[in-house]
Amino acid sequence: MATNGSLNDMEQWRSVVEYQRRKRNPAYTYHTRHSVPAYLEEWEEAVLTDVRGPYQSAENARRQASRDASDRGRSARIVRVYVERASLAWEPFDERNPETKKWGGS
C-alpha cells in the first residue's frame, strides 16, 4: 500500500480515469489492411475506467490521474478524470459477550 504506515492515516486517495475507445471497423481484415482503416471515426458506447491507488495524499492521486489521462489520450477519448477519497474510520465489527466470553458474530 502506498501509505507511510502510521496509524494516523485517516484518508486514502485514488485516481480514476474514464475513457472511450474508437469503434473497430468491421471491414478491416488482414487482406484489406492497406486500403481500409482499422478504426472508425465513432466512439464505443461503453465507458471504460482505470483506477489506481490508494495514495497517501490527494496530490499524488492527481499526478497519477494526469499521467494516466495523458497516456490514454493518445488512443482514446477522455470522458472524465477525478480523484476519490476514502475516509478511514473505526467502526464496531464484532462484540464479545462478557458473561459467556464468546464472540457474537464469528
Side-chain angles (χ1 to χ4, degrees), residues 3 6-7 10 13 23 27 33 36 38 41 58-59 61 66 74 79 82 85-87 93 96:
T3 62
S6 75
L7 295 175
M10 293 306 291
W13 306 83
K23 285 186 178 178
R33 70 183 184 273
V36 176
E41 292 297 319
E59 187 58 34
S66 296
R74 297 179 192 135
V79 176
Y82 58 98
R85 177 184 63 172
S87 296
F93 172 71
R96 185 176 175 199

Side-chain angles (χ1 to χ4, degrees), residues 19-23 39-40 42-44 48 50 68-78:
Y19 63 96
Q20 291 176 312
R21 293 187 195 159
R22 289 194 182 276
K23 285 186 178 178
Y39 295 95
L40 300 173
E42 303 170 23
W43 300 99
E44 292 180 359
L48 305 170
D50 279 345
D68 288 344
S70 168
D71 290 345
R72 281 280 174 215
R74 297 179 192 135
S75 61
R77 178 170 66 176
I78 303 301

Side-chain angles (χ1 to χ4, degrees), residues 6-40:
S6 75
L7 295 175
N8 294 329
D9 289 337
M10 293 306 291
E11 293 178 327
Q12 290 183 351
W13 306 83
R14 69 182 189 172
S15 67
V16 182
V17 177
E18 295 177 353
Y19 63 96
Q20 291 176 312
R21 293 187 195 159
R22 289 194 182 276
K23 285 186 178 178
R24 293 190 59 77
N25 189 346
Y28 179 81
T29 63
Y30 174 76
H31 300 289
T32 62
R33 70 183 184 273
H34 297 295
S35 60
V36 176
Y39 295 95
L40 300 173

